[in-house]
């Protein structure tokens, strides 16, 4: 039996207020199903015979099953066998967590393909343990998953899961940031933690810079969108290097300097900035704001009151991802997807 | 309290709570009174969905118009329709908002911009396009909001209206109150395009989904959407995922709900409890102030039921008055 690949596709990502306060788009349900189908076809091409998927009632599975039935009616066997986890569907982010937990404990899932935005990836990482993930962006704030054709992500995941690429090449280590209130079980962020003055969760997204106070980032890429862009534009930090960045923000006009940052799609705001410093792994940071809320990867998730203790800690090498670009380069070098009846060779010199 | 971390003032927070509490008590009381048999027709109770009406209507004034549904009491209360007149109307009395001729499903008060509850699913959507067009011509900055359920969302009228609102760039907002059921049919079964945001996208409108049991989520999203529409930014869709505590109508045995579903929702998804605990924990509103609103609302509802019961029925001579309106 070949290893299984897990698939977690979130039907509820990319539905939030950023479609109105910014120009965020949304990948439609039928398109999400189509993306899964492309990834499945790629997995099958690598020899994966079985995939297991998170059940949901948002329509992805029903679209997918309809189109897989159509293709099997036509005699095509382009997909691995697809099973669904036996779990209760709540229609919330809990489903993503449950599915990731079940895939991690099953023991035979070699990798998990995740469709969603930063929020979905965060939920998977919180439960998937050592199982590597391969992200496909269908959410709003997509600093974490890289933008790439899902067929390629599927091929790389298939090759890595089949063991055709050495693990030290196939998988990359990633950082995360933990946030714990009063010593409770930590919540995590994969990209950034922002401390803002609102003391309610509300519509979750962040789009009012006057409320921004502090920012902690695991990586800061000037090419990404979202809160991490603020850090990325002052001091880039790669995904691979150790440690992150802690930035003190201020309302525009009140900080030592200002940065024009793309904090959401189509939304470039002036952000006041006081100072920034490296954030070494393992050191606890405490917000200086007495009460407010905490946004994880751009969405307000937690609020804290003045008597509460908030601890923010960066963790190095916290979870693994499929390094799609490394896998595909290795595949090309080693001719993993190349075969032939005769030994074809490149023309060495067209003139001789 | 100097430091208010909410997007509403203390007084506004109390007003929002009062609106939600009034709706809740109004509906809980109707649930009891309807069983006694004095109320004619059907009533569809809004309990559980209060944060949707309150969170949206806080952004409106009397120039803004709404088109409501068969489950319209909450919309009426949040839009400022007088509770005594509503109760009178539901009892079919001449003191009612429509002189007792409309009943629960036809309460209207144009002076408040409340264009009417509506027994026909999806009928509010074309009406609100008319209101939106009028506001646009008048240039008064008014907006129109149509409410409809997950079931009604599949009516052709709703889809046609989204198209019309889009091409005419009307200041119109489509609010889906998705409580998971249309009568006894679950939304998963009945809706082919599984996301309302996708559906709006099909007409080029931005759509937003929020937790309709979180007043602040509804309030914030509605605030942005209403402002955008007022400024000429065009129509949008807002989906509020919510819960209905009672049956579809009073007398519904609710056999289609899971065992314990109502208890779970009342314990964990009660928008009033969620709101009250947040504003009191932040120290902006005290528990005593919340309790005072509770007492005041309880006596308001008592008085409204009392006076509706005691009020006269319309007389046979009034049969044809107030029925047709000439413009
Ligand atoms: C055009 C039309 N078709 C059918 C009905 C009967 N009917 C009344 S309420 C209802 C279900 C409505 O469900 P939904 O739109 O989800 O609103 P909810 O009752 O959940 O608030 C139906 C089918 C009607 N009133 N109008
Ligand atoms: Mg419904």
């Amino acid at each position: 039996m070949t290893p299984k690949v897990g698939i977690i596709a979130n039907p509820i990502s990319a539905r939030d207020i950023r479609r109105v306060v910014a120009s965020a788009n949304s990948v439609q349900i039928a398109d999400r199903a189509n993306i899964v189908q492309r990834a499945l076809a790629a997995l099958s091409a690598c020899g994966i015979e079985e995939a297991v998927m998170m059940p949901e009632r948002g329509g992805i599975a029903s679209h997918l099953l309809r189109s897989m039935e159509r293709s099997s009616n036509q005699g095509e066997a382009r997909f691995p066998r697809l099973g669904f986890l036996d779990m209760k569907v709540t229609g919330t982010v809990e489903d993503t967590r449950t599915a990731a937990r079940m895939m991690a404990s099953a023991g035979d899932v070699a990798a998990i393909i995740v469709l969603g935005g930063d929020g979905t990836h965060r939920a998977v990482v919180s439960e998937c343990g050592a199982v590597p993930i391969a992200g496909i962006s269908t959410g709003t704030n997509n600093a974490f998953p890289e933008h790439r054709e899902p067929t390629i992500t599927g091929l790389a995941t298939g090759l890595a899961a089949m063991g055709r690429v050495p693990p030290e090449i196939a998988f990359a280590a990633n950082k995360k940031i933990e946030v714990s209130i009063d010593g409770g079980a930590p919540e995590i962020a994969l990209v950034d933690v922002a401390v803002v003055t609102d003391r309610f969760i509300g519509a979750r997204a962040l789009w009012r810079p006057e409320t921004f106070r502090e920012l902690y980032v695991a990586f800061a890429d000037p090419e990404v969108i979202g809160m991490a862009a603020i850090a990325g534009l002052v001091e880039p930090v790669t995904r691979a290097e150790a440690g992150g960045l802690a930035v003190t923000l201020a309302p525009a006009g009140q900080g030592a300097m200002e940065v024009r940052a793309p904090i959401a799609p189509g939304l470039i705001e002036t952000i006041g900035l006081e100072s920034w410093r490296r954030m070494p792994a393992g050191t606890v940071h405490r917000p200086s704001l007495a009460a407010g809320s905490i946004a994880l990867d751009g969405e307000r998730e937690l609020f804290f009151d003045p008597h509460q203790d908030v601890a923010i800690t960066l963790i190095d090498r916290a979870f693994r991802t499929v390094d799609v670009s490394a896998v595909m380069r290795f595949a090309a070098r080693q001719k993993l997807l190349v075969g032939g009846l005769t030994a074809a060779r490149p023309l060495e010199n067209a003139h001789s | 309290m100097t430091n208010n971390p909410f997007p509403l003032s203390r007084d506004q927070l109390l007003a929002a709570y009062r609106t939600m509490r009034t709706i809740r008590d109004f509906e809980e009381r109707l649930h009891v009174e309807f069983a006694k048999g004095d109320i004619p027709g059907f009533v569809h109770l809004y309990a559980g969905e209060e944060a949707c009406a309150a969170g949206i209507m806080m952004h409106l004034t009397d120039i803004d118009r709404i088109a409501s549904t068969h489950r319209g009491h909450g919309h009426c209360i949040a839009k400022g329709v007088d509770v005594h007149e509503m109760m009178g109307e539901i009892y079919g009395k001449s003191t009612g908002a429509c002189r007792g001729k409309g009943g629960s499903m036809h309460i209207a008060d144009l002076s408040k911009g409340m264009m009417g509850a509506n027994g026909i699913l999806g009928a509010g959507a074309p009406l609100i396009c008319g209101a939106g067009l009028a506001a646009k011509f008048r240039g008064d900055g008014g907006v129109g909001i149509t409410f409809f359920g997950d079931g009604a969302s599949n009516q052709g009228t709703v889809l046609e209206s989204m198209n019309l609102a889009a091409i005419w760039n009307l200041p119109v907002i489509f609010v889906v109150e998705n409580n998971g059921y249309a009568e006894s049919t679950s939304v998963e079964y009945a809706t082919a395009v599984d996301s309302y945001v996708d559906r709006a996208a099909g007409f080029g409108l931005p759509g937003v989904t929020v937790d309709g049991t979180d007043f602040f989520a509804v309030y914030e999203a509605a605030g942005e959407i209403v402002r955008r529409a007022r400024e000429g930014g065009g129509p949008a869709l807002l989906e509020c995922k919510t819960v209905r505590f009672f049956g579809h109508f009073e007398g519904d045995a609710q056999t289609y709900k899971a065992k314990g579903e109502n208890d779970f929702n009342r314990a964990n998804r009660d928008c009033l409890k969620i709101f009250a605990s947040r504003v009191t924990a932040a120290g902006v509103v005290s528990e005593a102030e919340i309790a005072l609103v509770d007492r005041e609302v309880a006596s308001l509802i008592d008085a409204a039921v009392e006076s509706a019961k005691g009020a006269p029925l319309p007389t046979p001579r009034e049969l044809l008055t107030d029925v047709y309106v000439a413009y």
Side-chain angles (χ1 to χ4, degrees):
Chain A
M1 243 188 31
T2 62
K4 284 187 201 166
V5 170
I7 297 185
I8 295 180
N10 179 357
I12 51 178
S13 65
R15 301 283 177 238
D16 70 85
I17 187 73
R18 281 167 288 190
R19 266 131 289 277
V20 170
V21 296
S23 316
N25 67 343
S26 59
V27 178
Q28 301 203 0
I29 293 293
D31 292 334
R32 296 182 202 202
N34 182 279
I35 287 172
V36 175
Q37 202 175 322
R38 271 133 77 192
L40 285 173
L43 291 174
S44 172
C46 299
I48 297 286
E49 290 168 2
E50 196 170 349
V52 56
M53 192 162 166
M54 174 182 85
E56 40 75 43
R57 290 194 304 249
I60 297 179
S62 44
H63 277 283
L64 188 64
L65 292 174
R66 277 199 291 274
S67 73
M68 287 176 69
E69 185 193 337
R70 286 170 195 153
S71 96
S72 82
N73 288 346
Q74 294 178 282
E76 297 167 5
R78 292 192 296 131
F79 304 112
R81 274 190 312 283
L82 183 63
F84 288 88
L85 293 173
D86 182 12
M87 56 177 264
K88 185 168 172 274
V89 177
T90 64
T92 69
V93 67
E94 259 333 290
D95 294 347
T96 300
R97 290 176 190 266
T98 306
R101 194 161 50 239
M102 289 174 75
M103 288 174 186
S105 63
D108 57 354
V109 174
I112 303 173
I113 293 182
V114 183
L115 272 74
D118 289 342
T120 309
H121 286 81
R122 178 170 73 246
V124 172
V125 168
S126 68
E127 301 286 347
C128 72
V131 180
I133 65 167
I136 296 176
S137 159
T138 62
T140 312
N141 232 57
N142 296 321
F144 183 74
E146 294 166 309
H147 290 257
R148 178 178 279 116
E149 162 56 37
T151 314
I152 308 302
T153 306
L155 282 176
T157 307
L159 292 170
M162 292 294 288
R164 302 199 56 200
V165 182
E168 62 278 12
I169 293 176
F171 305 118
N174 294 267
K175 295 171 268 187
K176 71 177 179 189
I177 303 178
E178 288 187 347
V179 179
S180 164
I181 296 184
D182 284 343
E187 295 280 340
I188 60 166
L190 308 187
V191 185
D192 52 51
V193 172
V195 181
V196 303
T197 54
D198 300 326
R199 282 171 67 182
F200 58 98
I201 306 283
R204 292 181 174 270
L206 300 178
W207 72 94
R208 290 182 302 253
E210 65 276 15
T211 67
F212 302 174
R213 289 297 180 274
E214 285 162 55
L215 174 66
Y216 302 87
V217 299
F219 63 93
D221 182 340
E223 284 189 54
V224 303
I225 193 120
M227 292 301 284
I230 300 170
L233 289 168
V234 295
E235 186 171 328
V237 179
T238 67
R239 291 178 195 246
E241 72 191 86
L245 208 65
V247 186
T248 306
L249 305 173
Q254 294 180 29
M257 59 189 284
E258 287 179 349
V259 53
R260 309 253 308 142
I263 58 168
L267 187 69
I268 297 98
E269 288 285 340
T270 302
I271 313 288
L273 215 135
E274 208 57 71
S275 60
W276 65 90
R277 60 199 185 285
R278 300 296 294 200
M279 183 186 187
T283 313
V284 176
H285 287 68
R286 292 203 155 73
S288 47
L289 195 65
S293 63
I294 296 177
L296 304 173
D297 298 330
E299 293 188 16
R300 281 168 281 164
E301 292 275 354
L302 313 163
F303 46 78
F304 61 101
D305 292 325
H307 55 87
Q308 292 184 302
D309 175 56
V310 179
I312 300 175
T313 317
L314 184 133
I315 316 281
D316 270 335
R317 310 189 69 79
F319 65 100
R320 295 193 300 161
T321 45
V322 175
D323 188 337
V324 175
S325 129
V327 170
M328 295 315 286
R329 276 197 301 270
F330 181 86
R333 264 197 320 275
Q334 301 296 319
K335 309 272 184 287
L336 293 187
L337 294 169
V338 177
L341 299 177
T342 59
R345 278 178 296 113
L347 291 179
E348 305 232 319
N349 186 335
H351 298 292
S352 64
Chain B
M1 188 74 207
T2 47
N3 195 1
N4 177 359
F6 296 106
L8 301 91
S9 70
R10 224 182 62 84
D11 288 350
Q12 286 173 317
L13 289 170
L14 277 165
Y17 180 75
R18 184 181 296 276
T19 300
M20 293 196 284
R21 173 54 68 198
T22 307
I23 300 171
R24 175 67 55 85
D25 281 13
F26 192 95
E27 301 296 60
E28 297 275 9
R29 185 62 179 270
L30 276 181
H31 175 70
V32 173
E33 297 296 332
F34 189 84
K36 298 180 185 166
D38 302 339
I39 296 174
F42 279 108
V43 294
H44 303 85
L45 302 182
Y46 192 72
E49 309 187 18
E50 293 86 350
C52 311
I56 292 166
M57 250 65 93
M58 294 285 293
H59 298 287
L60 306 186
T61 70
D62 290 350
I63 65 158
D64 300 312
R65 302 200 149 194
I66 66 165
S68 172
T69 66
H70 57 289
R71 198 176 298 288
H73 305 163
H75 305 144
C76 291
I77 291 172
K79 196 73 175 74
V81 181
D82 182 80
V83 167
H84 277 84
E85 291 193 13
M86 286 179 61
M87 200 61 92
E89 190 58 40
I90 290 167
Y91 273 86
K93 299 301 178 67
S94 61
T95 51
C98 304
R99 306 290 162 253
K101 293 183 188 149
S104 163
M105 273 187 280
H106 300 93
I107 302 176
D109 184 346
L110 294 183
S111 72
K112 297 288 176 192
M114 165 60 192
M115 292 168 63
N118 206 315
I120 309 296
L121 296 183
L127 295 180
I128 212 65
C129 286
L133 187 63
K136 188 173 169 171
F137 270 116
R138 282 197 297 265
D140 60 9
V143 302
I145 299 192
T146 178
F147 292 86
F148 50 92
D150 43 284
S153 73
N154 290 323
Q155 289 291 103
T157 46
V158 172
L159 302 169
E160 293 169 38
S161 300
M162 283 194 211
N163 186 60
L164 194 63
I167 59 169
W168 286 350
N169 199 35
L170 299 177
V172 160
I173 294 150
F174 297 86
V175 175
V176 193
E177 290 176 317
N178 180 356
N179 58 16
Y181 300 101
E183 297 197 346
S184 58
T185 305
S186 83
V187 58
E188 284 92 11
Y189 171 80
T191 306
V193 172
D194 304 85
S195 151
Y196 295 102
V197 173
D198 283 6
R199 208 175 257 194
F203 295 98
L205 309 185
V208 176
T209 298
V210 293
D211 176 356
T213 65
D214 177 356
F215 168 85
F216 292 108
V218 178
Y219 177 85
E220 251 190 338
E224 294 296 332
I225 290 172
V226 168
R227 182 176 54 75
R228 180 177 180 276
R230 277 198 211 294
E231 292 170 354
L237 176 142
L238 176 63
E239 177 194 13
C240 300
K241 284 197 186 266
T242 183
V243 287
R244 101 166 121 69
F245 285 173
F246 289 113
H248 170 64
F249 53 81
E250 282 313 275
D252 172 3
Q254 306 184 63
T255 50
Y256 50 88
K257 284 190 179 173
K259 197 159 172 278
E261 187 172 322
N262 286 335
D263 292 339
F264 178 87
N265 286 340
R266 281 197 184 256
N268 301 293
R269 306 204 60 205
D270 181 337
C271 57
L272 274 100
K273 281 191 200 158
I274 296 170
F275 180 91
S277 77
R278 189 78 288 268
V279 295
T280 53
V284 178
V285 170
S286 71
E287 280 170 22
E289 288 169 309
I290 293 279
L292 177 62
V293 173
D294 290 349
R295 282 198 301 279
E296 287 172 354
V297 169
S299 52
L300 169 69
I301 302 295
D302 280 345
V305 171
E306 189 88 352
S307 66
K309 283 183 174 169
L313 288 164
T315 62
R317 277 199 316 172
E318 292 167 81
L319 190 63
L320 294 178
T321 56
D322 298 328
V323 176
Y324 299 102
V325 175
Y327 289 98

